[in-house]
Amino acid sequence: KFSNFDNPALKALDGKKLAEIITYAMAKQIFEIRFFHADPSPGNLMAISSDQVAFLDWGAVGSVSRRKSERILSLILGFVRDDIDSVAQALLDICRHGNDVDMTDLLRDLEKIMDYHERERASVGDPVILEMILDVANKHDMLLPPDFMLITRALFQFEGLCKKLDPTYELVDVLEPYVFRYLRKEAFAVGDSGEKLLSGALEALDAARHFPQRINKVLRMVENNACRVRVEVDRTADRTYRVEERNRGSTVPATPAAQTAA
């Protein structure tokens, strides 16, 4: 079992490969089968070899609809990309709520959660993050479904285990190849609308991998008038224009800037 990390037989196995297998297994359960092990703790997982893992004790399980599972994936990617709009939309889609949610206030509250997530490099399933999400949901009369709680709890458990097996482990990096294959299969199954889904999802994953996280934060600061922009105007062209006019002995007309000001 993975609960005994001092076991020489476990140490001899490929931790990086095992972390990948566990991640893919949980992803398949949640996004394809939509029936998943809700307690993938180290004591409930056993390494058979570097290529095989057994899930034990299926006393705690969860089920989730396709739409809900995809919204939860969008929420996770939104946190990774520091995309507050995606997080807000995913949360609205996941929760039951009225039509009077104050979006400005909701975005302000989510900003605090995302700042903590970035500062502490915390998982979306981290108990602190989860408690903050619950507080925001309660404040805005949004009801989180039980399957969300089960999935985020499971996420926190297996992500922590995977980081022990592979110190370089990052959930979105390991999950990326699986999500590409899953969405491509879904796209082929549902036709044109699936192609749009695939295109948007691949764009999101590409952004998660390559786009600097801080850019979204800067854009939000600009949008909220929370930063200053200093503009330096090069007056060289204007000075050259005036020198040429003086050399020709003509009266200097108003420059375009002066005309505009007038």
Side-chain angles (χ1 to χ4, degrees):
K1 290 186 178 183
F2 289 100
S3 53
N4 184 10
F5 274 89
D6 293 328
N7 188 328
L10 182 60
K11 287 184 175 181
L13 300 179
D14 186 339
K16 188 179 184 71
K17 181 66 176 178
L18 288 170
E20 181 181 284
I21 290 172
I22 293 169
T23 302
Y24 282 15
M26 286 300 299
K28 183 171 184 177
Q29 291 171 39
I30 294 170
F31 300 116
E32 292 187 56
I33 305 172
R34 293 188 288 281
F35 182 81
F36 59 94
H37 197 304
D39 187 20
S41 59
N44 287 338
L45 291 170
M46 177 182 290
I48 305 301
S49 66
S50 291
D51 299 311
Q52 191 175 19
V53 173
F55 283 72
L56 312 174
D57 188 3
W58 288 77
V61 296
S63 61
V64 61
S65 67
R66 175 186 297 183
R67 175 177 173 78
K68 202 76 66 68
S69 68
E70 290 175 350
R71 290 297 88 198
I72 291 172
L73 176 61
S74 295
L75 182 74
I76 294 170
L77 291 176
F79 269 97
V80 172
R81 290 158 41 208
D82 196 30
D83 184 346
I84 193 169
D85 293 320
S86 293
V87 170
Q89 188 57 57
L91 196 60
L92 287 170
D93 288 344
I94 290 168
C95 295
R96 287 198 317 219
H97 56 85
N99 297 321
D100 55 351
V101 175
D102 186 331
M103 288 304 298
T104 301
D105 195 24
L106 176 62
L107 290 171
R108 188 181 302 116
D109 291 336
L110 289 176
E111 178 83 33
K112 297 174 184 176
I113 301 177
M114 296 184 74
D115 283 344
Y116 176 86
H117 170 264
E118 181 183 348
R119 184 174 64 253
E120 301 297 328
R121 297 182 60 82
S123 163
V124 178
D126 186 285
V128 176
I129 294 285
L130 188 55
E131 184 177 357
M132 294 172 78
I133 291 175
L134 281 169
D135 288 343
V136 169
N138 290 333
K139 175 182 175 182
H140 294 274
D141 295 322
M142 299 164 64
L143 183 62
L144 284 164
D147 47 23
F148 172 80
M149 308 298 293
L150 287 174
I151 289 175
T152 50
R153 179 174 178 267
L155 172 70
F156 181 68
Q157 287 184 311
F158 87 78
E159 187 179 13
L161 169 60
C162 290
K163 285 185 176 179
K164 283 187 177 181
L165 292 169
D166 174 17
T168 66
Y169 177 89
E170 291 293 340
L171 176 64
V172 73
D173 291 338
V174 178
L175 199 58
E176 182 181 27
Y178 167 82
V179 175
F180 267 79
R181 289 197 297 270
Y182 164 72
L183 292 174
R184 188 173 290 111
K185 183 173 69 175
E186 290 296 301
F188 290 143
V190 299
D192 292 341
S193 60
E195 290 294 343
K196 293 178 181 178
L197 168 68
L198 174 63
S199 176
L202 296 188
E203 181 180 347
L205 282 169
D206 185 63
R209 186 175 183 182
H210 299 293
F211 197 70
Q213 293 183 8
R214 300 297 297 181
I215 293 296
N216 281 314
K217 184 175 290 294
V218 172
L219 292 177
R220 293 202 305 274
M221 291 173 64
V222 172
E223 186 179 50
N224 297 328
N225 296 320
C227 67
R228 299 174 183 174
V229 178
R230 185 179 67 186
V231 179
E232 295 183 357
V233 180
D234 186 357
R235 308 293 294 181
T236 304
D238 184 53
R239 287 196 298 271
T240 302
Y241 170 78
R242 290 176 178 274
V243 169
E244 290 176 350
E245 290 298 322
R246 282 200 302 271
N247 290 340
R248 287 199 292 268
S250 62
T251 303
V252 178
T255 65
Q259 291 172 351
T260 302

